[in-house]
Amino acid sequence: MNRTAGAEAGRLLSSIRSKILTQYRETRAMSRRLAAPLSDADATVQSMPDASPAKWHLAHTSWFFEAMVLQRFAPDYACFDRDFAFLFNSYYETLGARHPRPRRGMLTRPTLETILAYRDHVDRGVERLGDDIDEAVAALIELGCHHERQHQELLLTDILHLFAQNPLRPAYKQRALDGEPAETPPLTMRRFPGGVAEIGASGDGFAFDCERPRHPVIVPPYALADRLVTNGEWQAFIADGGYRRPLLWISEGWAKCRAEGWTAPLYWEQRDGAFWTMTLSGMTPVDPGAPASHVSYFEADAFARWAGRRLPTEAEWELAAAGLPVEGPFLESGRLGPAPAAAPPRDGGLRQMFGDLWQWTSSAFSPYPRFRPAAGAAGEYNGKFMCGQFVLRGGSCVSPKSHIRATYRNFFPPDARWQFSGVRLAQDVTEDDND
């Protein structure tokens, strides 16, 4: 390498270091802000096995940087507490044993104060890496930042579930109501031609391994609803016996509906004949114009069948979203709840594709053709979960905007309801259809 090329490579690496440390600091600061309204008790309790205490989220994301980056690439790094590897490992078999997930709420110690001190310790370790940050280390730090953004979202969904169990229905953050509900814009179906196309992440920019490789798909002509299903439409489904009609449900979904006593989306309850719902701002009346939230895949599929339509495949969703700006009420907006759809655009385009709610698809979370998991412990991140899960797209009102892209594949089991998940309808079309 000549001197000029070497200098250029040095400048490029310096730019990479600067960008990744800025991304790291911003990500870590956001987690601190999200934890600020919580007491030690708020941050300790676990409301169900699928949810984790806020304190655990804060510690686990720090352990991730410690185990994946600092212990491998910082020879002088001293662990804050070696017992933390057992307490805050999640599912990384190659990195050792771990505390059982359903018992995370039993960790009254360490305190929230100690966890925050642990975060500071890890942050100082990452900052001291300095010139030891090469492209491989920068890639791991970037992976850790996106991992922490996932946990920022989970921290809020888990706090909402926790506060919903409290008879006082406390608010995580007070927010002014939207005022009088606006008239819901009519739902229309937008047609797409289908054909042979490509989906998945390209080589540019960050993406998780499950988003790759980019590959061709064959998609018949289809149509997507131009907005999400609303609470008002969901109330019509309830009134028409949607939760009492087994022919609307797949067998496993109907069994779960009966066993769990589902009669409405999670967090809905009736007061004096009207529906109210638990939100991060406490209990509020259900806004008929806002998107219906906290519904499982089973409920989404039943609603679509009741409506005479279906759920989109993830390929259909991604092809429709390709090229659209990633705009919507994300975490940074401070809204912390889905918003009613805006008026239809003049071009008849799609609304609410990003932010608001994760959107269930009919696609199982499975590997793309020629998928290869990442090397080492990072390879346990996604690939081991490619069974029994369904894909959701688009992000939600508690997703960091910097974390979402059109190729992003979220996934949950079909009975999951505590996430900010909703429904966009789809339907088949033919060349003779005029809808």
Side-chain angles (χ1 to χ4, degrees), residues 161 243 264-268 277-278 293-295 299 417-419:
H161 190 271
Y243 285 91
L266 184 64
Y267 305 134
W268 282 31
T277 187
M278 180 63 181
S293 182
H294 301 294
V295 297
E299 291 165 283
R417 308 176 86 209
W418 91 108
Q419 293 301 314

Side-chain angles (χ1 to χ4, degrees), residues 190-197 218-224 319-320 429-431:
R190 181 180 175 189
R191 290 185 57 173
F192 293 87
V196 179
I218 299 175
V219 178
Y222 66 100
L224 282 186
L319 292 174
V429 300
T430 68
E431 296 301 323

Side-chain angles (χ1 to χ4, degrees), residues 272-340:
D272 299 324
F275 280 111
W276 286 61
T277 187
M278 180 63 181
T279 73
L280 286 165
S281 300
M283 289 298 293
T284 62
V286 167
D287 179 352
S293 182
H294 301 294
V295 297
S296 65
Y297 168 85
F298 292 140
E299 291 165 283
D301 178 71
F303 181 95
R305 193 169 291 108
W306 172 80
R309 295 190 168 98
R310 60 174 175 83
L311 298 179
T313 67
E314 65 170 324
E316 289 171 339
W317 191 98
E318 185 174 324
L319 292 174
L324 296 179
V326 182
E327 300 290 346
F330 290 107
L331 172 62
E332 292 84 352
S333 72
R335 180 183 174 86
L336 304 183

Side-chain angles (χ1 to χ4, degrees), residues 70-79 121 124-125 128-129 132:
L70 295 174
Q71 290 181 331
R72 295 175 60 190
F73 300 104
D76 61 342
Y77 176 75
C79 285
H121 179 82
R124 288 192 294 271
R128 283 196 301 269
L129 281 171
D132 291 328

